[in-house]
Amino acid sequence: MQKLPVADWIESLTEWMTQAFAGFFSFLQNSGQGLMDGITQLLLLVPPIVMIVGLTLIAFFISKEKLSLPIFTGLGLLFILNQNLWNDLISTFTLVLISSLVSIILGVPLGILMAKNDKAQSIITPILDFMQTMPGFVYLIPAVAFFGIGMVPGVFASVIFALPPTVRFTNLGIRQVPKELVEASDSFGGTGWQKLFKLELPLAKNTMLAGINQTTMLALSMVVTASMIGAPGLGRGVLSALQRAQVGNGFVNGVALVILAIIIDRFIQYINKPKKTATKKKSLTIEQKKKRGLLITLAVVLVAIFGVTSLLNKEKGKEEINLAYVEWDTEVASTNVIGEVLREAGYKVTLTPLDNSIMWQSIANGETDAMVAGWLPNTHEAYIKKYQDKVDPLGVNLKGAKIGLVVPTYMDVDSIEDLDQEAQQKITGIEPGAGTVNLANETVKTYPNLKDWTVETSSSGAMTVALGQAIKKQEPIVITGWSPHWMFAKYDLKYLKDPKETMGTEENIETFARKGLKEDQPEAYKILKNFEWEQKDIESVMLDVSNGEDAQAAAKKWIDANRKTVDSWKSK
Amino acid sequence: MVKVKVENLTKIFGKKNQTALKMVEEHRSKTDILKKTGATVGVYDVNFDINDGEIFVIMGLSGSGKSTLIRLINRLIEPTSGHIYIDGEDISKMTKEELREVRRHKMSMVFQNFGLFPHRTILENTELGLELRGVSKEERVKKAEQALKNSGLISFKDQYPTQLSGGMQQRVGLARALANDPEILLMDEAFSALDPLIRREMQDELLDLQTSVQKTIIFITHDLNEALRIGDRIALMKDGQIMQIGTGEDILTNPANDYVREFVEDVDRSKVLTAENIMVPALTTNIDVDGPAVALNKMRNEEVSLLMALNKKRHLKGIITAEKAIQARKEKLPLTEVVEPEIVSVSRDTLVGDIFEIIYDSPTPIAVVDGSRLLGVIIRGSVIEALASGSNNNDEEVLKNA
């Protein structure tokens, strides 16, 4: 039985779509990014304290002057502010807001269509089931292919993932309108639209809001996942904590997300609370309506202005440098250092942590300007093969990096060929997309004694935690290791000899830029090209970071201590 | 002057419509059709005319197809075949737009569970028809308020339906239909969800209204009494077919077939009236406590000339007349001295037929008693009303049953 090439079909379909709709996608990407940057900046204009007080007051009024919600809102937001997560919070909120809005704009009409048309319902329902049960990660892949990295693919993935509840509940709410009322509307000669706006939507409102509430919650959870493809915000903190095994950081970011989720949830629920039937209907006077309209217009105009200005900034792009990196300790150190140097040179630098393959892709299609994390010739061999025509190699920034299988020194194996039954025949790896993992898989295939061995993937952070645990218990463990890395300073470890050289020989870390950076940003290009340092440099930064120092602070510290080196990069 | 004409109207639910329709044309029975095709016939080859300004009642048990029939008339349900002519125009052939115009201007409907929009106030509900028609805000509010004034609900115009009783809600439903000023009112079991007292009140109101507005009313009910009370003509339905059309009198005296006879008789047997059904609350005086002045005062207030005399234990002792009470006041006698103990009394389950003969001779009201406790009284008026109300207008029957 031949295996059906389904994956290839999907691949070529995505490829074709990326080509065919390139203009449309990039328009969406640019305008979406501009809009979201605008909203984020607008929200950041408000001093945090003012916003916290404002939201607490709103909470106080909508919760009918009960105290629990306003107290929670106030304290929760103050906690987030205190933990320096305010900007992340605002970014996350913007993402959730846009995702939810787009979901509502798409979902409500779809739900109405479903309610009005049984055929549409029977077609859409299985699609919704499919959308809801498919793991959210899957949506990230085409999102990157279509929109590159950043906020827009995050919104795209969130919308697909979060859309179903709104559609379902809208459909349900409209179908639950009592038949007699529908007949009443028809018997008085109401048109379909009149029925929809005067009867069905007002009666379905509560059910629809319940759906929208679920949609917001799903969008929020998806925004966290989407941080793997460059969506900014609290998700990034959670993800980097996971990859670097920082329980505390992960918890703090997680709690911030929980606070945001609860606040959004309660606010929507209070909107949804059926009002006590008033004896007098409150209707807005013309004055109030005018005021309201004016305020909304003002807000829209402001957002638009910000959007346009940030777009213009993008267009000009004189000051901005986007650096991509992977959340490995080496890369965290080097990217923060070079980022800091570029900042000193007057650039506005954005560092975007991405998954390995997506980092390469984003350089290749010009999404990000540069990265200093290319491990060659072996680790990233697959990527350089794929993208060599689309990236601009700037040379080595660190010599003598090494990759291999690493074990604690108390294990009495010295070569890969000596491995037999140790460590439950498992190699503890890092992220599935990482180059070392690919090489480890090769190794397992090549060495006959590793026939029954498997490579277990997790994350860089999880791997170091597992290593620490094993050493504490003096248990055998085999990991995919690389140097420079602080773990060699912390534990007694050794590389296993690799006679077949499947794990590669000594490697270099190289810098890559997008095509055209040389012309656009000659000065930054020069600095990136000159960036080169040594094992001891990077390890000092790495050790600081692993001891809990903030990466940016550690980078600054190193720069201050090594002025000469840094100046030489700038002046050459 | 024929207002509505229905010809060979058939509605078949389910698939294989065409086969089922052929079988209807061949006059095969409903059960045959169901067995053969799996399709249910809701309305089976119905023909009738409705005249301008008459109340045409369609009556039948649950599942007889009467609700389907009324919905076919304004095409809330699409007919499978047949024609409905309103003022000579065939509704079943109309486009959506033409049909909408007819619904907006000619026909309005009143529903069993009122069909009021819960998110709108009474006024907003009442102006619904006009709003859908596109009448300007000012004019429609004026008309809706007039309709509410007519049904005495204007003070509730800013309330929501849930804040009103069932009877009031149905008045709003009726006002909503009338605000549209239609020529035809379709009423689908409009009073079935109300309690019996309110129901009767609403029937009277509808009859009063009809004298002033003169609409053509198509009224659906499953209740023979209601049909007899309000219908100018009655159509009795069973299994989607019309068994008989005629006045109440026709249907009661010349039932067309066994089904109608059973239907009517069944009602008769169950509705045989007893004293208890027709008695009214008694006006009493407690002779152990009250004096003549009190008794006279009561008579003046109630505008009567005699009272039923009870003792402390509420046992019936006789009658106090006005003359006797005046005499007692003059002579300073207690009421117990002037009670006239001769009083005609019947037990609660005596049949109306028997009472008919007694009341003819009795100058005083007849007391209805349970042992020696007084329950109420029967006056001449209540007997006549009970017989005239249509619930039992065949006194020979009554006498036979007695």
Side-chain angles (χ1 to χ4, degrees), chain A residues 513-562:
Chain A
R514 65 174 171 87
K515 291 273 188 197
L517 183 71
K518 191 175 183 176
E519 293 75 34
D520 299 345
Q521 313 270 24
E523 197 189 339
Y525 186 83
K526 194 178 77 180
I527 294 175
L528 281 162
K529 200 165 171 63
N530 292 336
F531 169 55
E532 191 176 359
W533 58 345
E534 290 173 12
Q535 294 265 359
K536 64 171 171 52
D537 295 320
I538 193 168
E539 278 184 351
S540 80
V541 180
M542 284 166 79
L543 203 62
D544 283 344
V545 174
S546 79
N547 288 337
E549 201 163 319
D550 178 64
Q552 200 176 344
K556 275 194 177 130
K557 197 166 106 185
W558 182 88
I559 291 171
D560 290 336
N562 297 274

Side-chain angles (χ1 to χ4, degrees), chain A residues 12-26 145-146:
Chain A
S12 35
L13 174 73
T14 319
E15 195 69 34
W16 172 80
M17 282 177 74
T18 316
Q19 301 294 338
F21 302 112
F24 174 65
F25 285 145
S26 80
F146 296 152

Side-chain angles (χ1 to χ4, degrees), chain B residues 280-288 290 295 298-299 302 304-311 314-322 335 338-346 362-369 372-379:
Chain B
V280 292
L283 300 168
T284 61
T285 176
N286 181 341
I287 50 175
D288 291 345
D290 297 346
K298 261 192 192 163
M299 290 181 201
E302 302 284 355
V304 292
S305 60
L306 56 82
L307 294 171
M308 293 284 154
L310 302 180
N311 68 3
R314 306 207 40 87
H315 288 176
L316 181 61
K317 284 293 165 204
I319 286 178
I320 301 282
T321 61
L335 285 178
V338 292
V339 172
E340 295 176 22
E342 305 82 30
I343 178 160
V344 187
S345 62
V346 295
S362 167
T364 58
I366 298 173
V368 182
V369 291
S372 60
R373 286 174 50 84
L374 177 73
L375 299 169
V377 294
I378 295 172
I379 50 180

Side-chain angles (χ1 to χ4, degrees), chain A residues 65-119:
Chain A
E65 308 180 4
K66 279 202 199 82
L67 287 181
S68 52
L69 180 66
I71 288 174
F72 178 84
T73 307
L75 289 182
L77 292 174
L78 279 173
F79 168 77
I80 293 173
L81 181 64
N82 166 274
Q83 295 291 316
N84 286 333
L85 295 173
W86 190 255
N87 291 8
D88 286 346
L89 176 82
I90 297 294
S91 297
T92 301
F93 177 73
T94 307
L95 268 168
V96 171
L97 182 76
I98 299 290
S99 306
S100 308
L101 279 178
V102 174
S103 298
I104 292 163
I105 292 165
L106 292 175
V108 169
L110 262 179
I112 292 170
L113 175 73
M114 265 173 95
K116 294 282 170 197
N117 183 331
D118 287 346
K119 195 165 215 134

Side-chain angles (χ1 to χ4, degrees), chain A residues 180 183 189 198 279-280, chain B residues 71 104 113 119 131-132 158:
Chain A
E180 200 174 51
E183 284 185 333
K198 290 181 194 295
T279 42
K280 263 270 183 279
Chain B
R71 282 168 176 72
R104 284 179 176 184
N113 298 310
H119 60 288
E131 184 181 336
L132 295 177
D158 292 326

Side-chain angles (χ1 to χ4, degrees), chain A residues 331-343:
Chain A
E331 272 47 61
V332 170
S334 58
T335 312
N336 267 291
V337 167
I338 189 71
E340 210 45 48
V341 172
L342 284 166
R343 275 192 197 110

Side-chain angles (χ1 to χ4, degrees), chain A residues 160-213:
Chain A
I160 296 180
F161 190 65
L163 186 67
T166 295
V167 181
R168 274 187 219 279
F169 279 65
T170 304
N171 175 32
L172 182 73
I174 291 178
R175 281 179 183 263
Q176 276 179 339
V177 173
K179 186 163 166 273
E180 200 174 51
L181 299 185
V182 175
E183 284 185 333
S185 174
D186 286 339
S187 70
F188 283 99
T191 61
W193 291 111
Q194 285 176 324
K195 183 162 64 180
L196 185 67
F197 287 110
K198 290 181 194 295
L199 173 69
E200 285 164 334
L201 289 181
L203 283 191
K205 192 188 81 181
N206 286 354
T207 316
M208 281 161 70
L209 273 168
I212 287 167
N213 191 5

